[in-house]
Amino acid sequence: MANNVSETTTDTHFATLAMGLQAPMPIGARSRWQRVLALPAYHWLLIAEVIVIAPHAAHLPLWLIGFALISIAAQLPAIKRAVRRYGPLKRWYQGVQMFGFLLGLLGLWLTYQTAFGLDMGVAFLVLCLVSKLWELYQRRDAYVVLNLSLFVVAALFLMNQGLLTTIQAVAGVLTVLFAFIALNDDGNAIGDGRLRSLGILTLAALPLLVVLFLFFPRLPPLWSVNLSGQQAKTGVSDSMSPGDFANLSQSTELAFRAEFTGERPAQNQLYWRGLVFNDFDGVTWRPHPNDTMWRSGESAPLWLQQAVGSVPEAEQRSLEQYRIILEPTQQNWLFALDYPLPSDGSAALTSNFTLRNREPVTQQRRYDVLRAQSMRIDTELSERDERINVTLPSSGNPQAHALAKRLFAEAGSDPVRYVQALERIIYQGNFRYTLSPPPLGDNRIDDFLFNTQAGFCEHYASSFAFMMRAVGIPARVVAGYQGGRLSRGGGVWEVRQLDAHAWVEVWFAGQGWVRVDPTAFVAPERVESGMDAVTESQGAAMFGDGAGAQISYQQYQMLQALRRFSDQASYYWQKDIVGYDQDKQENALLKWFNIRSMTEQLLWLMGSVLIVATLIVLSIWYRRRQKWHPADRPLVQLSKQLAKQQPTLARQDSEGQLAWLARLATSTELQQHAEALMTTAQHYRQLRYGRLSEKDIKDADYQAALKQLRVDVQAVYKQSI
């Protein structure tokens, strides 16, 4: 009867707020924290919806996020009270409730142009949750909303499995669970015990979580899905013109990590190849669409046979393998050191010796690469490829053309001496390396070489490649990253957007494509020590002049430190948690538990779950067991023993200990033991209510009286047998 009354009271309290009526607020809570914990379940449900939907704002359309915020705000009791009072508002409210979901479906169709797809499915799930809020009036509606919220939280992992996403999901789940607790404890005016209940639920789930993580079989996915409608995030785009990388180089965002099993290459050899630009229109470099593709396992084309044939046989037998962990780029290209060979069919190798993925990289991508350092590529250049890599616009940059012809003639038309002459001009001139280069005019090459003489890697790479082509030497620009930095733990090489770089490949007869990095002519420390060393050595001067440059440099240093720490934590999360795949699980289980088959794995799983569940049940039972005062425990045992002989002799739940002993003394069955029972009652009264009750339980007098009470109780029982 009491439970029914309590449940009815809770239903009434929730419905009162849900319908916008006035309801009493908690008055027993003292501190601000207690007042927050004591909020009614209705308020906690709305808080939970904000925390659940907020992380989806990164990938949902803005109109859906706006509709979600309006829907949550419209459920506030103050808004509902206003709606109930004014007729026009009430009709508007009902209209949104009726047509909001249908208009939302139309909006999803117009946004995604499809009824299928992962992002479409997640958006539809959020729309269902938001629309259900307009029907929030009874406790059963709240249960539906909170259960649907858990599915919306789980949908976060369809988009990303990073550490930040996990933290957001945990926050959402805990808030939803707290709302569940408040929903079943809405009459609690001070919120006492709610946080404890949440802690018990969470701690009880952790052992099961660990067991399932370790033992549940890592089965391959039955299908895969792709994300759509996301914009590129990578720092290397499919085109390059002076100025692109200057802005990017101030970003400390992680691009990818590299794990080497053997000796790591030297800093100045860390050229992470991404794209090759062959076409130049006077302003922008772009790839030429002439690449052919090869995947591991297919018959090798001629261009690959020639390149691999140039590698010494001893090196072919000991190609260095390493692993790249690439962050999402929303693009198809991958990054690897010069010159890469894919170790499996997951990545394709182009005829320009760059790597391509089948689909845009929408989630963190792991791939293994083989590296051949002595490879020579395109030792024989076809007429078509030569024409592509010497073509320049028919007009523009006359000063650069004139300088190129003069230097080439002075070098005796020797390509090597010509390259050395250009190096001397850059090294001995007034050229400088800066992250804040001046703007360039229409003739960008002339403007850079003869006027500003200040720029970043793409300025030097673009100008150098132009000067090569101006005298008929094939040249192309390669975009990617150069250098990097060891992680805090020292075992992983981290490459960031600030390491974005561009260099040049020049074709020499008999040698093929040879890397030349003109940035090293003016800033050799950029190649030898990495971008971090350049920034640290030049300080605020790298970011321009004045107070603004100093502020930018300080912000850069602070953000760099924070990002490195967060990226390190994210790396271990991805490597050890998300990356705990089938191979790692098999190795770990074999090493730790000597599990050699799927049957043994499933037996361990079921046994561990059973053990953990048993421990949880025993823990709950132990916490909820009835606890007795030391003086009550002997009497409780006496009651149980007497009940076995005569049930009427047992103490009733509503009966006090002294009243029960008095009843036993006057009972027919124990009348002859009345004196012993009264003595027992006297000792009990002293321990519980007399002078001994004020003493510590470990006191000698207290222990002596307690021992005597036990003797009295035992004597009564023996005499009654």
Side-chain angles (χ1 to χ4, degrees):
M1 182 65 178
N3 291 338
N4 292 336
V5 172
S6 176
E7 186 173 344
T8 302
T9 302
T10 303
D11 283 338
T12 303
H13 191 250
F14 183 87
T16 298
L17 290 172
M19 290 187 291
L21 300 176
Q22 188 68 39
M25 295 299 292
I27 58 175
R30 294 182 299 274
S31 66
R32 180 178 302 177
W33 175 245
Q34 287 177 319
R35 288 197 296 271
V36 171
L37 294 178
L39 285 174
Y42 185 81
H43 293 81
W44 270 109
L45 185 144
L46 298 181
I47 293 173
E49 298 317 300
V50 173
I51 296 178
V52 165
I53 295 176
H56 286 278
H59 54 81
L60 290 179
L62 292 177
W63 65 263
L64 182 54
I65 296 299
F67 180 53
L69 295 176
I70 292 173
S71 300
I72 295 173
Q75 311 313 311
L76 293 173
I79 302 295
K80 286 192 171 183
R81 283 197 297 272
V83 170
R84 290 175 62 87
R85 291 175 183 173
Y86 303 102
L89 284 178
K90 186 175 182 180
R91 287 191 294 271
W92 177 86
Y93 193 92
Q94 292 173 343
V96 175
Q97 182 176 353
M98 293 176 60
F99 298 109
F101 180 71
L102 296 177
L103 292 176
L105 289 179
L106 178 61
L108 292 181
W109 173 259
L110 294 176
T111 301
Y112 296 103
Q113 298 293 315
T114 180
F116 302 97
L118 178 60
D119 38 6
M120 171 66 178
V122 173
F124 175 73
L125 185 62
V126 174
L127 176 63
C128 292
L129 173 62
V130 171
S131 300
K132 182 60 183 176
L133 289 175
W134 293 88
E135 301 177 355
L136 188 60
Y137 293 105
Q138 301 295 332
R139 275 217 308 173
R140 61 177 178 271
D141 301 323
Y143 282 123
V144 173
V145 168
L146 291 177
N147 279 287
L148 188 57
S149 299
L150 293 176
F151 285 94
V152 173
V153 170
L156 280 173
F157 292 109
L158 297 176
M159 301 296 183
N160 187 273
Q161 297 85 41
L163 181 59
L164 178 59
T165 301
T166 305
I167 294 173
Q168 292 171 335
V170 169
V173 169
L174 292 179
T175 309
V176 170
L177 289 178
F178 195 88
F180 269 118
I181 294 171
L183 195 60
N184 291 274
D185 188 35
D186 211 17
N188 188 348
I190 61 174
D192 184 44
R194 290 180 178 179
L195 203 58
R196 182 173 61 253
S197 299
L198 179 64
I200 292 173
L201 288 175
T202 305
L203 292 177
L206 287 179
L208 288 175
L209 179 67
V210 173
V211 168
L212 293 175
F213 174 79
L214 290 176
F215 295 105
F216 197 86
R218 294 303 196 272
L219 301 176
L222 300 178
W223 62 83
S224 60
V225 290
N226 295 318
L227 299 176
S228 63
Q230 298 196 25
Q231 298 181 353
K233 297 180 181 178
T234 181
V236 178
S237 64
D238 56 0
S239 63
M240 188 204 80
S241 58
D244 288 349
F245 289 159
N247 294 329
L248 176 66
S249 295
Q250 300 177 48
S251 170
T252 59
E253 183 180 356
L254 184 69
F256 59 87
R257 297 182 178 89
E259 296 178 339
F260 292 93
T261 55
E263 184 178 355
R264 290 187 298 270
Q267 174 83 26
N268 59 7
Q269 295 299 315
L270 294 176
Y271 281 85
W272 308 96
R273 191 182 190 88
L275 289 166
V276 174
F277 299 137
N278 311 85
D279 292 349
F280 182 58
D281 60 7
V283 175
T284 303
W285 290 86
R286 294 183 177 88
H288 189 83
N290 68 333
D291 282 0
T292 58
M293 300 283 187
W294 173 80
R295 292 185 182 275
S296 178
E298 300 175 352
S299 57
L302 180 61
W303 53 266
L304 180 60
Q305 294 179 23
Q306 293 175 344
V308 175
S310 68
V311 180
E313 184 177 353
E315 185 174 334
Q316 291 185 31
R317 292 195 298 266
S318 59
L319 291 176
E320 179 185 1
Q321 179 169 325
Y322 57 98
R323 171 169 291 186
I324 300 293
I325 307 171
L326 179 65
E327 296 301 306
T329 64
Q330 317 307 326
Q331 303 291 351
N332 293 74
W333 54 79
L334 306 176
F335 298 94
L337 293 173
D338 286 343
Y339 288 100
L341 292 173
S343 63
D344 53 43
S346 63
L349 181 68
T350 72
S351 55
N352 282 328
F353 283 84
T354 58
L355 296 179
R356 290 293 180 273
N357 201 43
R358 293 181 184 271
E359 303 291 341
V361 181
T362 58
Q363 298 185 9
Q364 192 180 70
R365 172 80 158 85
R366 295 167 177 260
Y367 53 95
D368 293 327
V369 189
L370 299 172
R371 182 189 181 215
Q373 301 182 49
S374 302
M375 185 181 294
R376 294 183 177 183
I377 59 176
D378 292 345
T379 53
E380 298 180 3
L381 201 63
S382 66
E383 291 184 5
R384 177 175 178 273
D385 288 339
E386 182 178 359
R387 184 176 64 256
I388 290 172
N389 290 286
V390 297
T391 300
L392 287 176
S394 58
S395 61
N397 301 297
Q399 290 179 281
H401 275 285
L403 176 64
K405 295 183 184 301
R406 179 174 63 82
L407 291 177
F408 192 61
E410 293 176 355
S413 300
D414 184 345
V416 176
R417 293 176 59 190
Y418 177 58
V419 169
Q420 294 172 348
L422 285 176
E423 179 180 358
R424 284 195 299 271
I425 287 180
I426 295 175
Y427 180 74
Q428 297 175 359
N430 295 322
F431 289 89
R432 62 189 179 92
Y433 184 83
T434 177
L435 293 179
S436 301
L440 301 176
D442 295 334
N443 293 318
R444 295 197 173 190
I445 305 300
D446 281 357
D447 225 10
F448 171 69
L449 291 178
F450 300 98
N451 296 325
T452 66
Q453 296 186 336
F456 192 52
C457 59
E458 78 277 11
H459 294 79
Y460 292 95
S462 176
S463 300
F464 189 86
F466 181 94
M467 296 293 285
M468 291 290 108
R469 291 188 175 195
V471 295
I473 299 176
R476 61 192 186 184
V477 176
V478 183
Y481 298 87
Q482 196 283 321
R485 185 172 179 173
L486 283 175
S487 63
R488 293 169 65 92
V492 179
W493 202 265
E494 294 180 344
V495 180
R496 301 178 181 276
Q497 301 297 1
L498 60 87
D499 297 309
H501 196 57
W503 58 96
V504 178
E505 286 184 336
V506 181
W507 191 83
F508 294 119
Q511 299 184 53
W513 292 105
V514 176
R515 181 177 67 229
V516 179
D517 190 350
T519 304
F521 301 163
V522 66
E525 66 274 13
R526 168 65 181 89
V527 176
E528 295 295 334
S529 304
M531 189 64 190
D532 276 339
V534 176
T535 307
E536 291 174 3
S537 63
Q538 298 192 25
M542 285 290 294
F543 296 86
D545 301 322
Q550 185 66 35
I551 294 175
S552 298
Y553 178 62
Q554 292 175 353
Q555 290 177 344
Y556 165 82
Q557 286 185 312
M558 180 183 67
L559 291 176
Q560 186 184 43
L562 291 175
R563 192 181 290 277
R564 287 192 186 282
F565 178 79
S566 63
D567 285 344
Q568 187 69 13
S570 178
Y571 166 72
Y572 286 115
W573 173 263
Q574 291 285 350
K575 177 177 179 291
D576 299 327
I577 305 299
V578 179
Y580 187 71
D581 55 14
Q582 187 175 4
D583 294 335
K584 287 186 177 181
Q585 186 185 51
E586 290 178 355
N587 294 333
L589 296 181
L590 178 61
K591 178 181 178 180
W592 298 338
F593 304 98
N594 199 29
I595 297 176
R596 300 177 180 273
S597 66
M598 180 67 73
T599 302
E600 293 181 0
Q601 184 175 342
L602 292 176
L603 290 175
W604 269 88
L605 173 62
M606 291 185 291
S608 300
V609 169
L610 182 61
I611 292 173
V612 170
T614 302
L615 292 176
I616 292 174
V617 171
L618 290 176
S619 175
I620 295 175
W621 169 82
Y622 183 79
R623 288 178 58 87
R624 294 187 177 182
R625 76 190 190 284
Q626 195 168 13
K627 298 180 181 179
W628 299 102
H629 189 275
D632 287 321
R633 190 175 294 113
L635 300 183
V636 171
Q637 295 172 352
L638 176 62
S639 176
K640 292 179 179 179
Q641 293 167 348
L642 293 175
K644 295 177 182 179
Q645 301 178 25
Q646 183 66 33
T648 59
L649 297 178
R651 186 179 69 84
Q652 304 301 314
D653 291 337
S654 59
E655 193 174 21
Q657 298 284 18
L658 293 176
W660 172 61
L661 291 174
R663 178 169 66 83
L664 292 181
T666 59
S667 64
T668 305
E669 296 84 350
L670 298 176
Q671 190 174 9
Q672 65 275 23
H673 308 302
E675 185 177 350
L677 289 168
M678 296 307 295
T679 303
T680 300
Q682 182 179 2
H683 285 112
Y684 177 81
R685 187 179 293 106
Q686 291 179 355
L687 289 169
R688 292 287 278 158
Y689 311 111
R691 60 178 182 83
L692 293 178
S693 63
E694 299 179 357
K695 292 183 177 294
D696 186 85
I697 191 174
K698 297 180 180 180
D699 184 78
D701 293 340
Y702 191 96
Q703 286 294 322
L706 181 60
K707 182 178 179 180
Q708 185 60 46
L709 176 64
R710 292 169 180 165
V711 172
D712 294 340
V713 169
Q714 192 65 20
V716 171
Y717 175 67
K718 288 181 178 180
Q719 292 175 13
S720 63
I721 297 177

